[in-house]
Amino acid sequence: MSLVFGALADDITGGMELAALLARQGVRCAFLTDWRLVERVRHEVDAIVLAQKTRVIPGDQAQDAFAQGWDALTPARQIFYKYCATFDSTAAGNIGPCADVLMDKTGAEFTLFCPTFPEARRFVFQGHLFVGDRLVSESPKRYDPVTPMLDPDLVRVLQAQTQRRVGLLPLEILQAGQGALRIEALKKAGVRHAIADALSEADLTSIAALCAEWPLMTGGSSVAEHLPQHWRRKGWIAPEPFVPVLPMVDGYGAVLAGSCSEVTLRQLDHFAAHRPVLTIDITAGEEEALIASARRWALPLLAEGPVAIATSASPERVAQAQAHFGLQGSAARAERILDALAVLLREAGVRRFVIAGGETSGTILDRLGVRQMHVGIYEEAGVARAVSASAPLLGLCLKSGKLGPPDMFLRMLDRMLLGEG
């Protein structure tokens, strides 16, 4: 079996989302967080999603990680760079610089950037990113503590991150069936990166048809879900869909939330109506004392049902923490507290975890030593499950902070007890 698709995701929740969407299309897909495992699995699958925590690390480190990931995934027919549907990045990158690394490595002369995700109500029109009916700069994303999106013009955002010229594939051109002609015109004009307008699944189908045989494509997860139909038509993957089946996971359940998004805060409120929630003020003491106090709070409650521990906070509380510890310092402090608690909870018998937040998920999985997961079928925006490939068996729901229904925490923990896809 030859590897058709090798994806590099810039955070863990996005990687799980992509793997689960490919599973929904019947693709045999491996989900890894360590490039050194690629060789072990690449002959067994059609696609590999390699998720690394590279979204907000220093640019040179992110570029090195992407170069390393590309080296591991080079047997793939296509390399795909997966970033968030809200195009999350700092002012310095890392979307542009990492895309440039992959362009140099693959020898691609052109690629598209397509973050649109209709199922999650993320759209691009006239090069501007919308969350629902609001520009991303007017959405709660403007309050993101690490990657606030203050400029909705993605052509301008991307051009600030790359020396390559950035253009636009407009919606009217795409829907008129003239996408290939426009791309050739952009290439002749010296454009190497282009933002793709898209509002619907039909638009994404058209974009997938354009890029299915390119050496490099970039986007959110949604456009990638439209690629497997091309792989089947060309005989690159089996015509019969593969259906993943996840085993049941017993043991205690816990939610660990580092995301400060409005969606996650609502989910914590819903959970609190049924089970205990502890919100940790990261400014209220030494890390060791906060960890020990949270452990003492959680352990007596686990036998009665799941608990939630969160460092999530309102924009005002986040600003206070950042004033005290700095922007990166406050995020790192919250992550250290939660990943230490993840280990302590696992030692206490927790085997089912819902983790809210991409950066939080990456840190916790690294601390738990989880490098490979078997992923189930994507259910709805923000909702997918996995199990660890190594012992002890852990049930995992890695949730983007911005996605998911209000009741998903308890629902996903209960589903892990049932197993299945």
Side-chain angles (χ1 to χ4, degrees):
M1 183 179 296
S2 60
L3 190 63
V4 176
F5 185 78
L8 288 159
D10 68 357
D11 83 339
I12 309 303
T13 57
M16 181 171 170
E17 174 186 271
L18 175 55
L21 281 165
L22 292 174
R24 187 163 74 174
Q25 293 303 311
V27 175
R28 196 178 298 266
C29 180
F31 180 38
L32 311 174
T33 63
D34 187 337
W35 63 268
R36 290 166 292 193
L37 299 180
V38 169
E39 183 62 28
R40 180 191 302 178
V41 303
R42 71 181 182 89
H43 297 291
E44 305 169 359
V45 295
D46 307 310
I48 294 174
V49 176
L50 174 60
Q52 303 176 96
K53 190 180 170 184
T54 57
R55 180 171 298 168
V56 298
I57 65 175
D60 57 343
Q61 295 179 27
Q63 292 172 72
D64 288 346
F66 267 64
Q68 208 166 41
W70 178 85
D71 288 340
L73 294 170
T74 46
R77 289 178 178 268
Q78 183 178 72
I79 297 296
F80 187 89
Y81 175 13
K82 194 277 172 198
Y83 38 76
C84 185
T86 45
F87 217 69
D88 290 22
S89 58
T90 65
N94 290 326
I95 293 177
C98 290
D100 286 341
V101 166
L102 296 179
M103 184 164 273
D104 290 340
K105 289 283 191 179
T106 60
E109 60 175 345
F110 180 89
T111 196
L112 288 173
F113 291 72
C114 182
T116 289
F117 195 164
E119 198 167 345
R121 304 194 71 229
R122 274 58 169 161
F123 312 104
V124 180
F125 179 61
Q126 294 183 346
H128 287 62
L129 179 61
F130 288 79
V131 175
D133 61 355
R134 307 299 297 271
L135 289 166
V136 68
S137 55
E138 298 174 4
S139 79
K141 267 299 296 178
R142 69 189 186 275
Y143 298 123
D144 190 294
V146 180
T147 55
M149 288 298 292
L150 305 177
D151 187 351
D153 186 337
L154 297 190
V155 175
R156 187 164 56 216
V157 169
L158 184 59
Q159 189 64 81
Q161 299 180 17
T162 177
Q163 295 298 311
R164 289 179 164 94
R165 188 175 170 191
V166 180
L168 175 67
L169 176 59
L171 187 68
E172 64 270 20
I173 298 296
L174 179 72
Q175 293 184 343
Q178 302 298 308
L181 290 175
R182 176 55 63 93
I183 287 170
E184 287 305 311
L186 290 170
K187 287 160 65 174
K188 287 179 181 177
V191 171
R192 295 295 172 258
H193 298 323
I195 302 296
D197 278 355
L199 299 180
S200 67
E201 298 294 343
D203 296 333
L204 296 180
T205 297
S206 299
I207 291 169
L210 292 171
C211 73
E213 298 188 49
W214 292 358
L216 174 66
M217 178 58 184
T218 88
S221 300
S222 195
V223 68
E225 191 182 11
H226 293 263
L227 293 169
Q229 60 183 305
H230 299 278
W231 305 342
R232 285 198 172 89
R233 188 162 58 245
K234 291 184 173 295
W236 295 346
I237 64 175
E240 305 82 14
F242 171 74
V243 181
V245 177
L246 301 183
M248 68 165 288
V249 180
D250 205 350
Y252 298 144
V255 175
L256 295 172
S259 166
C260 297
S261 74
E262 289 185 4
V263 171
T264 297
L265 294 174
R266 286 197 297 271
Q267 290 162 340
L268 287 167
D269 286 343
H270 187 281
F271 186 92
H274 304 275
R275 293 294 303 152
V277 175
L278 174 67
T279 300
I280 298 174
D281 179 354
I282 67 170
T283 68
E286 296 298 324
E287 290 179 29
E288 294 77 8
L290 294 173
I291 292 164
S293 176
R295 179 180 182 274
R296 288 194 299 272
W297 173 86
L299 294 192
L301 299 171
L302 289 171
E304 300 172 10
V307 300
I309 302 176
T311 57
S312 310
S314 67
E316 294 76 21
R317 295 297 297 273
V318 169
Q320 292 172 9
Q322 290 177 344
H324 194 75
F325 298 110
L327 185 131
Q328 296 297 335
S330 60
R333 183 178 176 88
E335 289 167 9
R336 287 192 299 269
I337 291 169
L338 289 178
D339 70 45
L341 285 167
V343 173
L344 294 171
L345 290 171
R346 182 180 62 180
E347 291 174 354
V350 172
R351 294 294 181 266
R352 294 172 292 132
F353 286 95
V354 173
I355 306 173
E359 298 300 309
T360 304
S361 294
T363 302
I364 288 176
L365 286 190
D366 185 62
R367 185 70 180 270
L368 292 176
V370 175
R371 305 285 186 266
Q372 179 180 355
M373 286 156 276
H374 303 297
V375 180
I377 292 171
Y378 195 77
E379 300 176 30
E380 59 179 292
V383 182
R385 292 179 295 125
V387 295
S388 61
S390 56
L393 185 69
L394 300 177
L396 298 161
C397 173
L398 311 177
K399 188 199 85 71
S400 167
K402 303 176 289 293
L403 297 177
D407 67 342
M408 75 169 289
F409 288 171
L410 278 173
R411 175 150 58 95
M412 297 307 288
L413 289 168
D414 288 344
R415 289 284 302 280
M416 293 173 194
L417 291 169
L418 301 176
E420 301 180 356

